[in-house]
Each structure stands twice: as structure tokens, then as C-alpha cells.
Amino acid sequence: MSFTAAAALVLAACGGDSGGEQSADGKIELTISTFGEFGYDDLYAEYERLHPNIKITPHTTGQGGPYHETLFTKLGAGSGLDDVTAVEEGHMSDVLAKSSRFNDLAEIGPAGVTPDRWLDWKYEAGRDKDGKLIGYGTDIGPLAMCYRKDLFEAAGLPSDPEGVKKLFESWDSYFAAGDQFVKGSGGTAWFDSASQIFNAMQNQLPTGYFDRQDNLVIESNPGIKKNWDQVTAAVERGQSAGLVAFSNEWNSGFKGSSFATKTCPSWMLGVIEEQAGPEHSGQWAVSGVFPGGGGNWGGSYLTVPTQSEHPKEAAELAAWLTEPEQQIKAFKAKGAFPSQVEALESPEMAEATNEYFGGVRDGELFVEQAHKVGSAQYKGPGDGKIQENAASPALQAVEQGRSPEESWQQLVNGAAQIAR
């Protein structure tokens, strides 16, 4: 079984009216809102069979961006959110900053739901500064490195799993290999986008854009500037294809062989297969050696807003959906990589393979990557917006010829504006 593309690929109808009502047949109606593909469709029917007094009304939005804009609009309005509301990890910091508007699942959830259900870092990222549990973890996106074997060989680089380990063992070796590749290939880019690389490096730092007192530390955190200098220097040496992630040009870049490596959360394998097409089957490979150690990109939580009229029942549904057994079913249905320890140890994960990527045992590989992720980096309010609306545009400016020094100031100023 292979992973399939997740959030970016599915378009579905948008719902969103608040539920929490008693249906005409006397059942409690629970509404649940998600985005992309969570793999829950069959699980809703199963839950209703197990709980005859519950009727589930799901609302699914295809794209995560519009979904979260609507979520925060309804949160601010004080009405309209569903009983169970999914939140993507990139938006979790903004939810945690408004944790008073969400129920503490440790208080209202079933007694048998304990922290050891999840990987430590996933569980901790669902709690606010006071320890209140805002979200039950669903899936994750452990990072590996994807690369084009045929392009590596043509440029004179090793392409076998053992050979590439030295290339990917650190960010220094990764960028050094990029210089070799650009020279050996006659100018083909090493990676797709500077912001994709910078984001992965940024998430590996012990402290990100904010400290735990919510002070913006972008100028006083030497790790951020070091990452910036490394990435922008690589851009100036011709290593970036300068493509905006998930744009039409980025999609075409896979088919056009515009770059040789790609930071790869587990769900990205499906995106690559979709965009690169069958003509590149077997040319892409994935390595479990990732520069700087492990990392995570993506994954979500199920929350219960205080707007819910049936918070206890909503928490029970969220707890059931995030049980290991259910998350394995979601993985088999849509490739949502589970965050539950028991699910990661299951035969279903160990036996998963991916023929497009040369028959690699991708389940086993990404389970190992999930365990490499260290403690959860604290995300202050606006953290995701800084990455998306300040860091990415500043890095794109470098890719378009602006100096790294000028663009660094653009990032600093943009972050300060968002953090106000």
C-alpha cells in the first residue's frame, strides 16, 4: 500500500453551520469540520452504528487556507463552529493563543484517553502554555528527503541509499552536494524552493520565531540568521529552482525535471507521484537520512470549541476518531500518517511499500522519521503567518535577484508587523 496525496489535492463542498442540535428522531446531532482528506468517511457510519443516539453531520473543505480563514472568522464571531473542528498544525499556534474559546479535552474527554496514546511531541503541541489540552492529534508529516536517482547519476553523484547518506547527513553536506550537482548537471537546480528548505531548517531549531513568553526573537535568535545565510547563499549559487510551492509552475517542475531534491513529509510522496506522472516512476527515491536530523511538516488536531452545545459527546467522538485503530483505518483509506504510538507499531505500517518510489518500505521509513522528531518547538501567535507571509516572500525576492541583506530586513519588518 502506498501513501496518497492529502490536503492539497482534494476539492469538496464547504459546510460550516453550527450543529449541536437534537434531530427530529431524538438523536444528538454532532457536526464535524475537516479539510482535505482525513480518511474518516467510513468511520462516521461506523461510529453511528456503535452509538445509535448520535447522528454525525460532516462538513469538508478542500483547501486548508480558506478553511482556516473561515474557522477564525467564526471563532471571532462567537458562533458557527462545528462541535468537532479540525485544525492544521501550522494554525495551531493561533488556536492556542485563543485557548479560552476551546474546551480542555483533558477535563471533558473520556477518562481512558492518556498522553501515551501519542508521540510526545505531537501531544505537547496540542497543549497551551498552561497545559490545557486543546486538540487530540490526528496525523503527522515526518520529514525525509526525496531525490531523483537518474539526475544524480547523470551529474556524477551517488544515487543508491548508502551513497546518498553522506550527502544528506547535515545541511552543510546537503548544500555542498548541491554545488556538485549544479556544476555536474550543467545548471539544473538542486531544490525546488528556498522557502521549503528554510521552513524545514526553521522547524528544527529549539526556539523558533517566538520564545515562550511570546516575544518575537527573530533578530536575537542566531539559529534563524544562520539558516537564512545558508539558504540564501545556496540560492545565489544557483541551487534553487525558484518555484512557489503548490503553484502551477511548481507542479509542472516535477514533470519537467526542474530540480533534483525535495523535502518530503510522508504525504508529499503522493503529491510527487501525482505531479511527476508515470513517466518518472522509479526515478524518484526517498532517503531516511534528513539533514539536521528529523522534522515534521503537517498533520492536524481535533478540537471542541466552547461554542459546541454537546461538548462531552463531541469530545467522545474526537477521542474515538483518534484511537490507534481508527487512525490505521484512515491511513489505509487516504494515507493519513498516524501520530499514535500503537498505530506506528502496527503491521500495517511496517508492511507498507511504495512501488512508484522503487518499492521502498515507506511505512517503516517514515515511522523511523517520526521517532527522530525532538521536542515540539513552541509556536507563538502568528508563527505560521510569519513563515507564509513574511519569510516566503522575502526568500522569493532573493530568488528573483534581490540581495539577501535587503530581504532579511524585509523578513524582520514583516514579522514585527504580524507580531504586533
Side-chain angles (χ1 to χ4, degrees), residues 39-187:
Y40 287 168
D41 289 352
D42 291 341
L43 296 178
Y44 296 146
E46 182 178 347
Y47 192 82
E48 288 179 334
R49 284 198 302 273
L50 295 171
H51 302 79
N53 64 322
I54 298 294
K55 171 182 169 55
I56 298 174
T57 302
H59 298 129
T60 303
T61 302
Q63 299 289 341
Y67 170 85
H68 287 90
E69 286 180 16
T70 301
L71 187 160
F72 287 109
T73 297
K74 292 179 177 178
L75 190 64
S79 65
L81 288 175
D82 282 349
D83 298 296
V84 178
T85 299
V87 179
E88 201 269 337
E89 59 101 16
H91 296 271
M92 200 60 186
S93 61
D94 292 320
V95 164
L96 295 178
K98 297 176 174 59
S99 59
S100 63
R101 301 180 190 183
F102 293 85
N103 284 286
D104 185 349
L105 296 174
E107 288 187 359
I108 70 166
V113 182
T114 54
D116 59 0
R117 173 184 288 188
W118 294 274
L119 293 165
D120 289 343
W121 58 268
K122 180 70 175 181
Y123 178 79
E124 289 301 321
R127 302 201 304 163
D128 73 0
K129 287 191 293 185
D130 298 322
K132 185 176 172 182
L133 182 62
I134 303 303
Y136 288 141
T138 59
D139 60 324
I140 52 177
L143 280 168
M145 185 63 75
C146 291
Y147 64 99
R148 279 282 298 271
K149 291 191 298 183
D150 57 324
L151 297 184
F152 271 41
E153 290 163 6
L157 268 61
S159 65
D160 60 291
E162 282 302 313
V164 300
K165 282 183 178 179
K166 286 188 177 180
L167 309 183
F168 299 152
E169 67 183 2
S170 70
W171 288 111
D172 287 340
S173 65
Y174 175 77
F175 291 122
D179 288 334
Q180 283 183 266
F181 177 81
V182 172
K183 182 178 180 181
S185 66

Side-chain angles (χ1 to χ4, degrees), residues 92-94 97 209-211 214-215 377-386:
M92 200 60 186
S93 61
D94 292 320
Y209 293 123
F210 294 89
D211 64 20
D214 290 335
N215 298 307
Q377 183 191 85
Y378 177 73
K379 305 285 189 183
D383 194 290
K385 292 178 183 173
I386 289 176

Side-chain angles (χ1 to χ4, degrees), residues 327-375:
Q327 283 298 143
I328 290 173
K329 292 175 182 174
F331 167 73
K332 293 170 76 173
K334 295 295 179 182
F337 203 85
S339 61
Q340 293 74 8
V341 174
E342 190 177 317
L344 293 173
E345 295 171 348
S346 69
E348 288 87 346
M349 302 304 296
E351 295 167 1
T353 59
N354 191 313
E355 294 307 314
Y356 191 87
F357 282 76
V360 65
R361 298 176 70 89
D362 52 347
E364 184 177 80
L365 184 150
F366 281 106
V367 167
E368 290 180 8
Q369 298 307 101
H371 287 293
K372 291 179 183 176
V373 179
S375 58

